[in-house]
Tab-separated table of all heavy atoms in Angstrom:
chain	number	residue	atom	x	y	z
A	1	MET	N	117.249	85.603	53.781
A	1	MET	CA	117.755	85.340	55.265
A	1	MET	C	118.774	86.399	55.553
A	1	MET	O	119.616	86.757	54.698
A	1	MET	CB	118.517	83.941	55.308
A	1	MET	CG	117.610	82.820	54.948
A	1	MET	SD	116.504	82.397	56.431
A	1	MET	CE	117.608	81.376	57.424
A	2	ALA	N	118.728	86.762	56.839
A	2	ALA	CA	119.562	87.928	57.184
A	2	ALA	C	119.808	87.872	58.705
A	2	ALA	O	119.137	87.297	59.404
A	2	ALA	CB	119.003	89.302	56.803
A	3	MET	N	120.882	88.554	59.211
A	3	MET	CA	121.148	88.738	60.602
A	3	MET	C	120.409	90.139	61.086
A	3	MET	O	120.192	90.959	60.362
A	3	MET	CB	122.535	88.758	60.822
A	3	MET	CG	123.186	87.433	60.311
A	3	MET	SD	122.522	85.945	60.895
A	3	MET	CE	122.979	85.895	62.645
A	4	LYS	N	120.279	90.168	62.511
A	4	LYS	CA	119.672	91.321	62.979
A	4	LYS	C	120.527	91.674	64.250
A	4	LYS	O	120.952	90.846	65.017
A	4	LYS	CB	118.303	91.102	63.478
A	4	LYS	CG	117.525	92.182	64.106
A	4	LYS	CD	116.081	91.730	64.481
A	4	LYS	CE	115.518	92.969	65.137
A	4	LYS	NZ	116.101	93.558	66.307
A	5	ILE	N	120.817	92.985	64.378
A	5	ILE	CA	121.341	93.481	65.667
A	5	ILE	C	120.397	93.958	66.722
A	5	ILE	O	119.450	94.744	66.397
A	5	ILE	CB	122.295	94.680	65.401
A	5	ILE	CG1	123.466	94.151	64.474
A	5	ILE	CG2	122.813	95.288	66.642
A	5	ILE	CD1	124.342	95.311	63.956
A	6	ASP	N	120.426	93.454	67.855
A	6	ASP	CA	119.596	93.888	69.031
A	6	ASP	C	119.991	95.251	69.529
A	6	ASP	O	121.081	95.324	70.081
A	6	ASP	CB	119.634	92.897	70.035
A	6	ASP	CG	118.625	93.194	71.276
A	6	ASP	OD1	118.199	94.374	71.260
A	6	ASP	OD2	118.473	92.192	72.060
A	7	PRO	N	119.239	96.281	69.333
A	7	PRO	CA	119.685	97.637	69.665
A	7	PRO	C	119.839	97.798	71.198
A	7	PRO	O	120.507	98.662	71.649
A	7	PRO	CB	118.714	98.482	69.246
A	7	PRO	CG	117.399	97.686	68.984
A	7	PRO	CD	117.787	96.304	68.560
A	8	ASP	N	119.238	96.918	72.030
A	8	ASP	CA	119.360	96.994	73.410
A	8	ASP	C	120.681	96.357	73.885
A	8	ASP	O	121.200	96.515	75.023
A	8	ASP	CB	118.135	96.375	74.223
A	8	ASP	CG	116.924	97.026	73.957
A	8	ASP	OD1	116.872	98.232	73.699
A	8	ASP	OD2	115.802	96.333	73.808
A	9	GLU	N	121.366	95.675	73.040
A	9	GLU	CA	122.510	94.967	73.403
A	9	GLU	C	123.801	95.564	72.736
A	9	GLU	O	124.870	95.566	73.292
A	9	GLU	CB	122.440	93.440	72.964
A	9	GLU	CG	121.454	92.578	73.628
A	9	GLU	CD	121.792	92.309	75.078
A	9	GLU	OE1	122.892	92.377	75.449
A	9	GLU	OE2	120.812	92.089	75.832
A	10	CYS	N	123.582	96.141	71.605
A	10	CYS	CA	124.686	96.884	70.849
A	10	CYS	C	125.279	97.978	71.661
A	10	CYS	O	124.484	98.831	72.121
A	10	CYS	CB	124.254	97.271	69.491
A	10	CYS	SG	125.418	98.049	68.544
A	11	ILE	N	126.581	98.027	71.743
A	11	ILE	CA	127.274	98.991	72.469
A	11	ILE	C	128.054	99.999	71.370
A	11	ILE	O	128.703	100.784	71.878
A	11	ILE	CB	128.340	98.513	73.399
A	11	ILE	CG1	129.344	97.630	72.706
A	11	ILE	CG2	127.687	97.641	74.649
A	11	ILE	CD1	130.639	97.225	73.510
A	12	SER	N	127.574	99.870	70.229
A	12	SER	CA	128.020	100.826	69.157
A	12	SER	C	129.593	100.746	69.183
A	12	SER	O	130.183	101.887	68.907
A	12	SER	CB	127.522	102.187	69.327
A	12	SER	OG	126.057	102.020	69.105
A	13	CYS	N	130.271	99.744	69.285
A	13	CYS	CA	131.710	99.674	69.311
A	13	CYS	C	132.121	99.774	67.865
A	13	CYS	O	133.346	100.176	67.685
A	13	CYS	CB	132.188	98.317	69.853
A	13	CYS	SG	131.929	96.930	68.835
A	14	GLY	N	131.474	99.399	66.952
A	14	GLY	CA	131.850	99.645	65.370
A	14	GLY	C	132.632	98.530	64.806
A	14	GLY	O	132.930	98.654	63.604
A	15	ALA	N	132.931	97.488	65.685
A	15	ALA	CA	133.821	96.514	65.048
A	15	ALA	C	133.263	95.744	63.946
A	15	ALA	O	134.022	95.294	63.090
A	15	ALA	CB	134.024	95.453	66.268
A	16	CYS	N	131.995	95.599	63.792
A	16	CYS	CA	131.381	94.793	62.766
A	16	CYS	C	131.300	95.579	61.377
A	16	CYS	O	131.473	94.962	60.444
A	16	CYS	CB	129.932	94.450	63.215
A	16	CYS	SG	128.821	95.870	63.573
A	17	GLU	N	131.178	96.845	61.558
A	17	GLU	CA	130.862	97.588	60.319
A	17	GLU	C	131.876	97.440	59.138
A	17	GLU	O	131.436	96.999	57.959
A	17	GLU	CB	130.705	99.089	60.567
A	17	GLU	CG	130.327	99.946	59.365
A	17	GLU	CD	130.268	101.394	59.663
A	17	GLU	OE1	130.673	101.813	60.688
A	17	GLU	OE2	129.944	102.174	58.660
A	18	PRO	N	133.159	97.563	59.398
A	18	PRO	CA	134.183	97.560	58.266
A	18	PRO	C	134.379	96.229	57.806
A	18	PRO	O	134.965	96.034	56.744
A	18	PRO	CB	135.342	98.238	58.856
A	18	PRO	CG	135.290	97.956	60.297
A	18	PRO	CD	133.859	98.032	60.623
A	19	GLU	N	133.853	95.195	58.539
A	19	GLU	CA	134.278	93.779	58.205
A	19	GLU	C	133.133	93.086	57.394
A	19	GLU	O	133.293	91.903	57.022
A	19	GLU	CB	134.593	92.900	59.449
A	19	GLU	CG	135.700	93.523	60.187
A	19	GLU	CD	137.033	93.657	59.404
A	19	GLU	OE1	137.202	92.835	58.443
A	19	GLU	OE2	137.799	94.516	59.677
A	20	CYS	N	132.008	93.753	57.243
A	20	CYS	CA	130.816	93.164	56.522
A	20	CYS	C	131.176	93.055	55.084
A	20	CYS	O	131.397	94.103	54.405
A	20	CYS	CB	129.614	93.971	56.820
A	20	CYS	SG	128.131	93.359	55.823
A	21	PRO	N	131.238	91.840	54.406
A	21	PRO	CA	131.571	91.787	53.062
A	21	PRO	C	130.502	92.470	52.153
A	21	PRO	O	130.741	92.621	50.916
A	21	PRO	CB	131.645	90.322	52.695
A	21	PRO	CG	130.833	89.675	53.776
A	21	PRO	CD	131.024	90.552	55.098
A	22	THR	N	129.306	92.657	52.592
A	22	THR	CA	128.268	93.207	51.681
A	22	THR	C	127.811	94.698	52.129
A	22	THR	O	126.943	95.239	51.669
A	22	THR	CB	126.926	92.373	51.743
A	22	THR	OG1	126.378	92.322	53.179
A	22	THR	CG2	127.192	90.931	51.308
A	23	ASN	N	128.707	95.276	53.047
A	23	ASN	CA	128.489	96.620	53.468
A	23	ASN	C	127.083	96.846	53.968
A	23	ASN	O	126.467	97.829	53.740
A	23	ASN	CB	128.834	97.591	52.291
A	23	ASN	CG	129.241	98.871	52.642
A	23	ASN	OD1	129.860	99.083	53.798
A	23	ASN	ND2	129.132	99.872	51.827
A	24	SER	N	126.518	95.994	54.770
A	24	SER	CA	125.245	96.041	55.128
A	24	SER	C	125.033	96.657	56.547
A	24	SER	O	123.888	96.770	56.984
A	24	SER	CB	124.596	94.611	55.257
A	24	SER	OG	124.658	94.002	53.885
A	25	ILE	N	126.204	96.957	57.257
A	25	ILE	CA	126.002	97.378	58.585
A	25	ILE	C	126.403	98.851	58.679
A	25	ILE	O	127.368	99.288	58.203
A	25	ILE	CB	126.982	96.638	59.477
A	25	ILE	CG1	126.856	95.194	59.362
A	25	ILE	CG2	126.807	96.957	60.993
A	25	ILE	CD1	127.797	94.313	60.173
A	26	LYS	N	125.485	99.658	59.352
A	26	LYS	CA	125.497	101.053	59.412
A	26	LYS	C	125.163	101.390	60.808
A	26	LYS	O	124.280	100.947	61.396
A	26	LYS	CB	124.570	101.759	58.436
A	26	LYS	CG	125.103	101.533	56.874
A	26	LYS	CD	126.318	102.360	56.592
A	26	LYS	CE	126.693	102.241	55.187
A	26	LYS	NZ	127.360	101.056	54.869
A	27	PRO	N	125.711	102.567	61.298
A	27	PRO	CA	125.272	103.173	62.564
A	27	PRO	C	123.921	103.881	62.407
A	27	PRO	O	123.684	104.543	61.476
A	27	PRO	CB	126.473	104.182	62.909
A	27	PRO	CG	127.116	104.423	61.620
A	27	PRO	CD	126.951	103.329	60.711
A	28	THR	N	123.242	103.762	63.349
A	28	THR	CA	121.882	104.648	63.532
A	28	THR	C	122.067	105.362	64.863
A	28	THR	O	122.961	105.365	65.669
A	28	THR	CB	120.726	103.775	63.619
A	28	THR	OG1	120.568	103.196	64.908
A	28	THR	CG2	120.784	102.724	62.449
A	29	LEU	N	121.124	106.177	65.174
A	29	LEU	CA	121.057	107.055	66.551
A	29	LEU	C	121.167	106.130	67.617
A	29	LEU	O	121.875	106.446	68.551
A	29	LEU	CB	119.764	107.866	66.508
A	29	LEU	CG	119.779	109.182	65.661
A	29	LEU	CD1	118.431	109.897	65.770
A	29	LEU	CD2	120.953	110.097	66.117
A	30	LEU	N	120.470	104.939	67.600
A	30	LEU	CA	120.411	104.031	68.753
A	30	LEU	C	121.568	103.075	68.824
A	30	LEU	O	122.097	102.889	69.911
A	30	LEU	CB	119.072	103.358	68.717
A	30	LEU	CG	117.813	104.022	69.162
A	30	LEU	CD1	116.641	103.162	68.907
A	30	LEU	CD2	117.899	104.446	70.478
A	31	ALA	N	121.914	102.449	67.811
A	31	ALA	CA	122.749	101.365	67.696
A	31	ALA	C	123.180	101.106	66.184
A	31	ALA	O	122.652	101.730	65.376
A	31	ALA	CB	122.136	100.118	68.320
A	32	TYR	N	123.994	100.180	66.041
A	32	TYR	CA	124.286	99.755	64.613
A	32	TYR	C	123.184	98.904	64.110
A	32	TYR	O	122.412	98.231	64.884
A	32	TYR	CB	125.628	98.994	64.643
A	32	TYR	CG	126.838	99.997	64.414
A	32	TYR	CD1	127.101	100.671	65.619
A	32	TYR	CD2	127.509	100.063	63.357
A	32	TYR	CE1	128.194	101.668	65.421
A	32	TYR	CE2	128.720	100.928	63.223
A	32	TYR	CZ	128.927	101.744	64.338
A	32	TYR	OH	129.923	102.611	64.331
A	33	ALA	N	122.897	98.885	62.865
A	33	ALA	CA	121.792	98.059	62.243
A	33	ALA	C	122.253	97.425	60.965
A	33	ALA	O	123.104	98.001	60.213
A	33	ALA	CB	120.667	99.012	62.054
A	34	ILE	N	121.630	96.304	60.779
A	34	ILE	CA	121.997	95.487	59.515
A	34	ILE	C	120.819	95.720	58.513
A	34	ILE	O	119.627	95.598	58.856
A	34	ILE	CB	122.078	94.022	59.900
A	34	ILE	CG1	123.244	93.885	60.731
A	34	ILE	CG2	122.134	93.051	58.501
A	34	ILE	CD1	123.497	92.407	61.343
A	35	ASP	N	121.108	96.045	57.242
A	35	ASP	CA	120.086	95.973	56.155
A	35	ASP	C	119.790	94.674	55.699
A	35	ASP	O	120.658	93.919	55.073
A	35	ASP	CB	120.846	96.829	54.982
A	35	ASP	CG	119.778	97.074	53.872
A	35	ASP	OD1	118.669	96.404	53.849
A	35	ASP	OD2	120.001	97.936	53.034
A	36	ALA	N	118.651	94.204	56.095
A	36	ALA	CA	118.207	92.796	55.769
A	36	ALA	C	118.067	92.626	54.283
A	36	ALA	O	118.042	91.506	53.750
A	36	ALA	CB	116.784	92.518	56.413
A	37	ALA	N	117.960	93.647	53.554
A	37	ALA	CA	117.822	93.483	52.041
A	37	ALA	C	119.163	93.119	51.456
A	37	ALA	O	119.096	92.530	50.282
A	37	ALA	CB	117.300	94.712	51.383
A	38	THR	N	120.234	93.343	52.035
A	38	THR	CA	121.583	93.137	51.448
A	38	THR	C	122.449	92.107	52.283
A	38	THR	O	123.293	91.617	51.710
A	38	THR	CB	122.310	94.428	51.234
A	38	THR	OG1	122.489	95.051	52.475
A	38	THR	CG2	121.645	95.318	50.238
A	39	CYS	N	122.116	91.853	53.392
A	39	CYS	CA	122.881	90.826	54.307
A	39	CYS	C	122.608	89.413	53.780
A	39	CYS	O	121.537	89.089	53.488
A	39	CYS	CB	122.329	90.847	55.752
A	39	CYS	SG	122.995	89.542	56.748
A	40	THR	N	123.721	88.784	53.459
A	40	THR	CA	123.732	87.450	52.892
A	40	THR	C	124.010	86.352	53.923
A	40	THR	O	124.207	85.235	53.632
A	40	THR	CB	124.671	87.367	51.773
A	40	THR	OG1	125.911	87.704	52.349
A	40	THR	CG2	124.485	88.308	50.686
A	41	GLU	N	124.175	86.724	55.241
A	41	GLU	CA	124.696	85.811	56.219
A	41	GLU	C	126.142	85.411	55.896
A	41	GLU	O	126.530	84.343	56.288
A	41	GLU	CB	123.663	84.698	56.539
A	41	GLU	CG	122.350	85.129	57.087
A	41	GLU	CD	121.568	83.842	57.353
A	41	GLU	OE1	122.154	82.839	57.593
A	41	GLU	OE2	120.275	84.018	57.248
A	42	CYS	N	126.752	86.230	55.107
A	42	CYS	CA	128.071	85.940	54.684
A	42	CYS	C	128.273	84.684	53.853
A	42	CYS	O	129.347	84.152	53.813
A	42	CYS	CB	129.050	85.945	55.853
A	42	CYS	SG	129.404	87.502	56.729
A	43	ALA	N	127.205	84.203	53.273
A	43	ALA	CA	127.303	83.034	52.324
A	43	ALA	C	128.287	83.315	51.198
A	43	ALA	O	128.340	84.278	50.691
A	43	ALA	CB	125.814	82.861	51.637
A	44	GLY	N	129.129	82.232	51.165
A	44	GLY	CA	130.195	82.281	50.094
A	44	GLY	C	131.428	83.020	50.499
A	44	GLY	O	132.509	83.079	49.832
A	45	GLU	N	131.328	83.815	51.655
A	45	GLU	CA	132.562	84.493	52.153
A	45	GLU	C	133.086	84.010	53.452
A	45	GLU	O	134.390	83.819	53.513
A	45	GLU	CB	131.949	85.967	52.553
A	45	GLU	CG	131.193	86.744	51.292
A	45	GLU	CD	132.157	87.412	50.396
A	45	GLU	OE1	133.429	87.414	50.751
A	45	GLU	OE2	131.765	87.938	49.379
A	46	TYR	N	132.332	83.704	54.331
A	46	TYR	CA	132.754	83.146	55.598
A	46	TYR	C	131.840	81.842	56.063
A	46	TYR	O	130.739	81.971	55.630
A	46	TYR	CB	132.798	84.180	56.825
A	46	TYR	CG	133.700	85.394	56.531
A	46	TYR	CD1	132.979	86.535	55.932
A	46	TYR	CD2	134.934	85.284	56.744
A	46	TYR	CE1	133.861	87.628	55.723
A	46	TYR	CE2	135.706	86.393	56.584
A	46	TYR	CZ	135.201	87.551	55.951
A	46	TYR	OH	135.958	88.596	55.785
A	47	LYS	N	132.439	81.005	56.828
A	47	LYS	CA	131.682	79.915	57.232
A	47	LYS	C	130.507	80.411	58.270
A	47	LYS	O	129.449	79.746	58.269
A	47	LYS	CB	132.626	78.855	58.031
A	47	LYS	CG	133.327	78.101	57.033
A	47	LYS	CD	134.177	77.027	57.869
A	47	LYS	CE	135.134	76.246	56.795
A	47	LYS	NZ	135.995	75.243	57.533
A	48	LYS	N	130.945	81.361	59.089
A	48	LYS	CA	129.885	81.920	60.014
A	48	LYS	C	129.697	83.357	59.686
A	48	LYS	O	130.608	83.966	59.270
A	48	LYS	CB	130.286	81.642	61.493
A	48	LYS	CG	130.209	80.325	62.006
A	48	LYS	CD	130.810	80.137	63.331
A	48	LYS	CE	130.101	81.074	64.326
A	48	LYS	NZ	130.645	80.883	65.673
A	49	PRO	N	128.531	83.998	60.013
A	49	PRO	CA	128.377	85.395	59.864
A	49	PRO	C	129.444	86.170	60.469
A	49	PRO	O	129.757	85.971	61.735
A	49	PRO	CB	127.047	85.735	60.523
A	49	PRO	CG	126.270	84.534	60.343
A	49	PRO	CD	127.251	83.328	60.512
A	50	GLN	N	130.242	87.030	59.814
A	50	GLN	CA	131.529	87.564	60.255
A	50	GLN	C	131.145	88.723	61.410
A	50	GLN	O	131.904	88.650	62.328
A	50	GLN	CB	132.199	88.299	59.180
A	50	GLN	CG	133.432	89.000	59.515
A	50	GLN	CD	134.539	87.868	59.752
A	50	GLN	OE1	134.429	86.744	59.857
A	50	GLN	NE2	135.813	88.297	59.639
A	51	CYS	N	129.985	89.255	61.376
A	51	CYS	CA	129.590	90.177	62.323
A	51	CYS	C	129.330	89.605	63.618
A	51	CYS	O	129.766	89.911	64.712
A	51	CYS	CB	128.278	90.976	61.948
A	51	CYS	SG	126.951	89.930	61.427
A	52	VAL	N	128.772	88.282	63.738
A	52	VAL	CA	128.584	87.449	64.872
A	52	VAL	C	129.932	87.165	65.439
A	52	VAL	O	130.148	87.215	66.672
A	52	VAL	CB	127.825	86.266	64.583
A	52	VAL	CG1	127.627	85.474	65.831
A	52	VAL	CG2	126.332	86.628	64.141
A	53	THR	N	130.834	86.764	64.606
A	53	THR	CA	132.280	86.376	65.119
A	53	THR	C	132.939	87.404	65.707
A	53	THR	O	133.651	87.294	66.783
A	53	THR	CB	133.017	85.888	63.889
A	53	THR	OG1	132.336	84.708	63.233
A	53	THR	CG2	134.396	85.419	64.278
A	54	LEU	N	132.826	88.737	65.175
A	54	LEU	CA	133.443	89.725	65.725
A	54	LEU	C	132.827	90.599	66.912
A	54	LEU	O	133.600	91.208	67.684
A	54	LEU	CB	133.631	90.833	64.584
A	54	LEU	CG	134.613	90.397	63.488
A	54	LEU	CD1	134.477	91.356	62.201
A	54	LEU	CD2	136.046	90.456	63.941
A	55	CYS	N	131.555	90.410	66.981
A	55	CYS	CA	130.866	91.169	68.050
A	55	CYS	C	131.231	90.798	69.430
A	55	CYS	O	131.197	89.592	69.725
A	55	CYS	CB	129.299	91.098	67.819
A	55	CYS	SG	128.415	92.081	69.071
A	56	PRO	N	131.514	91.707	70.295
A	56	PRO	CA	132.033	91.302	71.669
A	56	PRO	C	130.856	90.945	72.594
A	56	PRO	O	131.025	90.430	73.686
A	56	PRO	CB	132.827	92.689	72.118
A	56	PRO	CG	132.113	93.741	71.408
A	56	PRO	CD	131.775	93.135	69.990
A	57	ILE	N	129.551	91.214	72.086
A	57	ILE	CA	128.388	90.996	73.071
A	57	ILE	C	127.742	89.741	72.626
A	57	ILE	O	127.204	89.664	71.393
A	57	ILE	CB	127.484	92.282	72.892
A	57	ILE	CG1	128.201	93.546	73.078
A	57	ILE	CG2	126.314	92.051	73.939
A	57	ILE	CD1	128.869	93.776	74.491
A	58	ASP	N	127.770	88.783	73.506
A	58	ASP	CA	126.920	87.485	73.187
A	58	ASP	C	125.544	87.822	72.914
A	58	ASP	O	124.901	88.586	73.627
A	58	ASP	CB	127.168	86.495	74.326
A	58	ASP	CG	128.509	85.999	74.571
A	58	ASP	OD1	129.254	86.114	73.596
A	58	ASP	OD2	128.802	85.394	75.595
A	59	ASP	N	124.959	87.144	71.899
A	59	ASP	CA	123.586	87.253	71.572
A	59	ASP	C	123.088	88.593	71.050
A	59	ASP	O	121.971	88.926	71.070
A	59	ASP	CB	122.760	86.783	72.627
A	59	ASP	CG	122.940	85.313	73.029
A	59	ASP	OD1	123.323	84.508	72.129
A	59	ASP	OD2	122.827	85.003	74.326
A	60	CYS	N	124.108	89.535	70.752
A	60	CYS	CA	123.772	90.751	70.322
A	60	CYS	C	123.102	90.722	68.815
A	60	CYS	O	122.182	91.352	68.457
A	60	CYS	CB	124.817	91.752	70.318
A	60	CYS	SG	124.644	93.351	69.511
A	61	ILE	N	123.799	89.786	68.050
A	61	ILE	CA	123.449	89.738	66.625
A	61	ILE	C	122.848	88.298	66.466
A	61	ILE	O	123.536	87.282	66.719
A	61	ILE	CB	124.610	89.859	65.664
A	61	ILE	CG1	125.318	91.146	65.984
A	61	ILE	CG2	124.222	89.769	64.219
A	61	ILE	CD1	126.549	91.475	65.190
A	62	THR	N	121.645	88.210	65.915
A	62	THR	CA	121.002	86.902	65.933
A	62	THR	C	120.317	86.883	64.518
A	62	THR	O	120.112	87.851	63.796
A	62	THR	CB	119.951	86.673	66.995
A	62	THR	OG1	119.105	87.741	66.989
A	62	THR	CG2	120.704	86.557	68.301
A	63	LEU	N	119.703	85.631	64.228
A	63	LEU	CA	118.993	85.498	62.931
A	63	LEU	C	117.799	86.310	63.012
A	63	LEU	O	117.020	86.316	63.977
A	63	LEU	CB	118.764	84.033	62.818
A	63	LEU	CG	118.353	83.417	61.348
A	63	LEU	CD1	119.585	83.683	60.408
A	63	LEU	CD2	118.137	81.995	61.513
A	64	LEU	N	117.592	86.999	61.972
A	64	LEU	CA	116.223	87.793	61.786
A	64	LEU	C	115.005	86.808	61.601
A	64	LEU	O	115.107	86.079	60.687
A	64	LEU	CB	116.438	88.755	60.573
A	64	LEU	CG	115.171	89.595	60.300
A	64	LEU	CD1	114.964	90.614	61.338
A	64	LEU	CD2	115.279	90.281	58.907
A	65	SER	N	114.095	86.910	62.602
A	65	SER	CA	112.965	86.131	62.453
A	65	SER	C	112.024	86.756	61.633
A	65	SER	O	111.705	88.056	61.706
A	65	SER	CB	112.425	85.820	63.870
A	65	SER	OG	112.266	87.017	64.599
A	66	THR	N	111.289	86.035	60.819
A	66	THR	CA	110.435	86.540	59.860
A	66	THR	C	109.023	86.183	60.055
A	66	THR	O	108.719	85.242	60.936
A	66	THR	CB	110.736	86.157	58.418
A	66	THR	OG1	110.840	84.735	58.412
A	66	THR	CG2	111.985	86.786	57.959
B	101	SF4	S1	125.994	88.212	58.442
B	101	SF4	FE1	127.757	88.992	57.011
B	101	SF4	S2	126.694	90.020	55.361
B	101	SF4	FE2	125.301	89.894	56.995
B	101	SF4	S3	125.577	91.823	58.223
B	101	SF4	FE3	126.911	90.190	59.177
B	101	SF4	S4	128.829	90.569	58.189
B	101	SF4	FE4	127.394	91.612	56.930
B	102	SF4	S1	130.185	94.586	66.960
B	102	SF4	FE1	128.280	94.233	68.085
B	102	SF4	S2	128.394	95.798	69.696
B	102	SF4	FE2	129.869	96.433	68.125
B	102	SF4	S3	128.683	97.783	66.824
B	102	SF4	FE3	128.546	95.800	65.841
B	102	SF4	S4	126.583	94.831	66.748
B	102	SF4	FE4	127.128	96.706	67.952
């Protein structure tokens, strides 16, 4: 299970990147992106995904659908 950033919504503010406990968020040419292989949805770290809490854009970061 992992979270996903919508590149059409992300404004590349960078607020999420340093706060990710698994270092799963990185900038790309288009927007920031989450590595689904390492994102834990902040299990054991925070009650809610920290990136979602910090992102200023509603619905920018959502559950990755598989
Ligand atoms: S949900 Fe947590 S672990 Fe996953 S990218 Fe966001 S801050 Fe990082
Ligand atoms: S906090 Fe939200 S808008 Fe800012 S870089 Fe991260 S995903 Fe993009």
Side-chain angles (χ1 to χ4, degrees):
M1 298 283 277
M3 305 305 289
K4 176 185 185 303
I5 293 171
D6 182 344
D8 293 329
E9 297 289 337
C10 176
I11 58 170
S12 294
C13 71
C16 54
E17 182 186 5
E19 304 300 333
C20 173
T22 59
N23 206 25
S24 299
I25 307 174
K26 291 286 184 286
T28 73
L29 281 177
L30 285 175
Y32 277 66
I34 293 172
D35 185 345
T38 55
C39 171
T40 59
E41 295 181 28
C42 290
E45 304 276 354
Y46 299 98
K47 285 183 181 173
K48 288 176 55 178
Q50 185 72 341
C51 53
V52 176
T53 301
L54 291 168
C55 182
I57 310 296
D58 288 346
D59 300 325
C60 174
I61 306 174
T62 54
L63 201 57
L64 176 68
S65 51
T66 53

